[in-house]
Amino acid sequence: MKELTISDIGNIRIGQVEDVAAGTGCTVFVCEEGMRAGVDIRGGGPASCETQLLNPLMAADRIHAIVLAGGSAFGLSASGGVRTLLEERGIGFDVGVTKVPLVVQSDIFDLTVGNPFTRPDVAMGYAAAKMALDSPNYRDGNYGAGCGATVGKIAGMDFCMKTGIGSYAVQVGELIVGAVVVLNALGDIFDGKTGQKIAGLLAVDKKSFRSTSDYMKSHLEIVENKFAGNTTVAAVMTNAGFEKAQLCKIAGMAHDGYARSIHPVHTSMDGDSIYAVSLGDVKADQDLVGTLAAEVISEAIIRAVDTAAGAYGFPSRTEISRQD
């Protein structure tokens, strides 16, 4: 098994745009000929658009783009800009009079990071889709949908850490499996291999960590509106050939990667979602791909921590490590 870059995965292009001052952004995945896709949503508070297209009972067998963005429900308008750009380029489902691009979207909550009233919109979605097609610019870190990502928020934003967007891909024989994760969890983040905590709820002195789980156990009262905004969203990509039902199962298995590296995870205030897409026809075992999907998700989470730079007053892992 060898490591690849996410750009080594063929038949898909990724474009990113961010508004650094506002602390939000948009990441768009485009497949011009259409990609088979599934989704699994485990968190209780998703902000999403058109995910029902990926229900195996629905007629559409392919989609043309996935949008991951900030802005919570407000940011869902970004997919309109993606549709506009793709229609202009002749990409979509042919309905005779035009082509209708099938676009799904999931958003993180980043409204408490920069300017809460500037969110991904039609213009940003259009720009990110144009970047994907004309000049793919994917980067790990504080880019695209990861611009305003943070973790460890159970005690409020004063004690959270900056994260971002991360990627990881592997190849086994002909088979390629990769993932991109926008890490914006309520909980703490762990290295899935070593168990080491690498990000999360900061101690009062902001030089070390507290346990989110322990904090919750010490606050037993029912909280009607837990502090604000979370949600980790991801896309798993493979060159193996699968249909929607199989891809939904692979997306479900990929959530094991969340569970390895985020604790607690899938809470009522996280909208944790994973898309899985098939970009080729390599023959591969579904359970192998699901197992690899969990592994690359966990590794991409670590990348989202390690490549993030401190911003908006929130420290990164690198900054916390320098204080040790």
Side-chain angles (χ1 to χ4, degrees), residues 130-143:
K130 188 175 188 300
M131 192 67 71
L133 288 175
D134 295 344
S135 184
N137 66 334
Y138 178 81
R139 294 176 65 186
D140 293 338
N142 297 21
Y143 301 100

Side-chain angles (χ1 to χ4, degrees), residues 154 186 216 222-230 267-269:
I154 192 67
L186 177 73
M216 294 171 75
I222 297 174
V223 180
E224 298 296 338
N225 184 18
K226 292 188 180 71
F227 175 75
N230 313 296
T267 73
S268 63
M269 295 306 294

Side-chain angles (χ1 to χ4, degrees), residues 149-161:
T150 52
V151 296
K153 289 168 276 190
I154 192 67
M157 297 297 284
D158 286 344
F159 300 101
C160 74
M161 286 180 62

